[in-house]
């Protein structure tokens, strides 16, 4: 199951998140995930687990073309030359010839280097080293600036998204500009979201788990969720969400959970190194 990016490349509809796994944890988890059928794996330079992800990919016995590996540039490598170096370091740690999706991890507006960084990303795509390029945690104003100054819009914006923080306006902006929304912390970090009565009700009604109901909500918004789990049984259930659907009325009940409940950093102020 894939979604088409604006650059014509297909992206799997759901993937495995790997934060906050270390190299060993990521190695184990990604090996399990690929054997269960996951094809999209999400990592980042700042997670410190790219080598573990790469080791699992190398052992997977799945053709490289059938996998979709995403990594992200860390804040210390903003700027054109530094971004080129950061990419090369990530690529070497992953042990890959190319990555499928390369993201600017945070905009860091205080440093004001994300436009130059994006020029490097455009060149990496031209060179085929990053098949698709995108951003993470960017606001519409920041993405508009990328388009105005470089002529290139991101194919993906990976942002915090879960029923408690549903990002309605941002998703509408993405839809208008043909940008795929990718959801980090899609399960709200496994917090009380999964205990919400409406989620429990829908889980009972569909004979599914609360996590499956929440992941189905993402899919029906058109977003690409990347739930993290270190447990094969949870990985299996998180991927098993393509054979049922929520009704419009059930989606409307889920929408009532939106409470501006951001769990992570704010793109306008977050500082990441
Ligand atoms: P674990 O790794 O122990 O399975 P998010 O992706 O929103 O950040 O959520 C990840 C958190 O949710 C992790 O703590 C993970 O724990 C937990 N989690 C992942 N899948 C499930 C599931 N199917 N049911 C309950 N908790 C889950």
């Amino acid at each position: 199951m894939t979604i088409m990016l604006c650059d014509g490349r297909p992206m799997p509809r759901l993937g495995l998140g790997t934060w906050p796994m270390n190299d060993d944890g990521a190695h184990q988890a990604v090996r399990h995930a690929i054997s269960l059928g996951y094809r999209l794996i999400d990592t980042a330079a700042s997670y410190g687990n790219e080598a573990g992800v790469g080791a699992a990919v190398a052992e997977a016995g799945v053709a490289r073309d059938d996998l979709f590996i995403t990594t992200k540039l860390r804040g210390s490598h903003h700027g054109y030359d530094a971004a080129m170096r950061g990419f090369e370091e990530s690529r070497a740690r992953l042990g890959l010839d190319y990555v499928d999706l390369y993201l600017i991890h945070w905009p860091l507006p205080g440093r004001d280097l994300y436009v130059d960084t994006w020029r490097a990303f455009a060149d990496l795509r031209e060179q085929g080293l990053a098949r698709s390029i995108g951003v993470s945690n960017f606001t519409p104003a920041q993405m508009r600036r990328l388009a105005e100054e470089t002529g290139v819009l991101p194919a993906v914006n990976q942002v915090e998204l879960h029923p408690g923080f549903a990002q309605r306006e941002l998703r509408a902006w993405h839809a208008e500009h043909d940008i795929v929304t990718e959801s980090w912390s899609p399960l709200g970090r496994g917090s009380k979201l999964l205990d919400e009565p409406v989620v429990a009700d829908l889980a009972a009604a569909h004979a599914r788990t609360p996590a499956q109901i929440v992941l189905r909500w993402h899919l029906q918004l058109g977003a690409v969720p990347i739930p993290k789990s270190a447990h094969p049984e949870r990985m299996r259930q998180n991927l098993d969400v393509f054979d049922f659907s929520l009704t419009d009325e059930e989606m409307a009940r889920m929408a009532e959970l939106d409470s501006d409940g951001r769990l992570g950093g704010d793109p306008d102020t977050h500082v990441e190194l």
Side-chain angles (χ1 to χ4, degrees):
M1 204 74 85
T2 58
I3 188 168
M4 197 53 82
L5 300 178
C6 61
D7 58 17
R9 306 194 75 91
M11 174 180 187
R13 287 296 277 115
L14 184 149
L16 181 78
T18 64
W19 182 82
M21 297 173 185
N22 62 16
D23 270 326
D24 281 349
H27 188 171
Q28 301 288 334
V30 172
R31 219 179 32 180
H32 281 301
I34 294 175
S35 72
L36 288 166
Y38 281 78
R39 292 296 175 262
L40 189 176
I41 308 294
D42 183 89
T43 180
S46 65
Y47 299 171
N49 65 20
E50 289 172 310
V53 169
V57 166
E59 293 163 8
V62 171
R64 174 68 186 91
D65 276 1
D66 293 335
L67 294 170
F68 189 100
I69 310 298
T70 301
T71 193
K72 315 185 192 80
L73 180 82
R74 64 190 309 158
S76 56
H77 286 71
H78 273 220
Y80 187 95
D81 292 339
M84 287 298 197
R85 277 199 309 280
F87 176 82
E88 187 46 36
E89 289 167 15
S90 282
R91 198 185 63 76
R93 280 190 294 266
L94 285 160
L96 298 175
D97 294 334
Y98 65 90
V99 303
D100 295 276
L101 177 63
Y102 196 38
L103 305 177
I104 303 181
H105 204 152
W106 288 92
L108 308 180
R111 295 186 62 199
D112 198 19
L113 287 171
Y114 62 82
V115 175
D116 271 351
T117 305
W118 189 240
R119 291 188 214 284
F121 274 51
D123 287 349
L124 287 166
R125 190 184 60 180
E126 287 300 308
Q127 293 163 20
L129 295 168
R131 296 277 163 96
S132 295
I133 54 173
V135 294
S136 186
N137 305 304
F138 272 53
T139 64
Q142 291 159 350
M143 289 182 281
R144 197 176 293 118
R145 192 168 157 217
L146 293 182
E148 282 168 6
E149 298 194 29
T150 72
V152 183
L153 261 176
V156 172
N157 188 19
Q158 185 187 113
V159 294
E160 178 179 346
L161 179 63
H162 43 79
F165 189 59
Q167 302 255 39
R168 181 184 289 271
E169 281 174 28
L170 179 63
R171 285 188 289 105
W173 197 88
H174 288 166
E176 237 173 82
H177 294 85
D178 204 10
I179 294 169
V180 167
T181 305
E182 192 174 15
S183 317
W184 62 257
S185 286
L187 302 175
R189 296 190 178 156
S191 61
K192 45 189 187 352
L193 170 65
L194 299 180
D195 299 326
E196 287 286 348
V198 55
V199 177
D201 272 4
L202 298 185
H206 288 273
R208 295 286 170 155
T209 67
Q212 288 176 317
I213 297 299
V214 171
L215 293 170
R216 190 66 218 173
W217 172 87
H218 286 273
L219 296 179
Q220 290 184 219
L221 294 183
V224 174
I226 45 168
K228 172 262 175 186
S229 181
H231 297 99
E233 167 46 31
R234 285 178 171 175
M235 290 180 200
R236 190 200 56 70
Q237 61 163 273
N238 292 349
L239 191 59
D240 185 17
V241 288
F242 293 96
D243 60 351
F244 76 104
S245 47
L246 302 176
T247 64
D248 291 346
E249 195 246 322
E250 289 171 334
M251 288 294 285
R253 288 184 65 197
M254 291 290 286
E256 287 170 21
L257 294 174
D258 190 9
S259 57
D260 205 18
R262 192 194 285 282
L263 299 171
D266 181 329
D268 279 324
T269 54
H270 184 76
V271 177
E272 172 249 12
L273 296 175

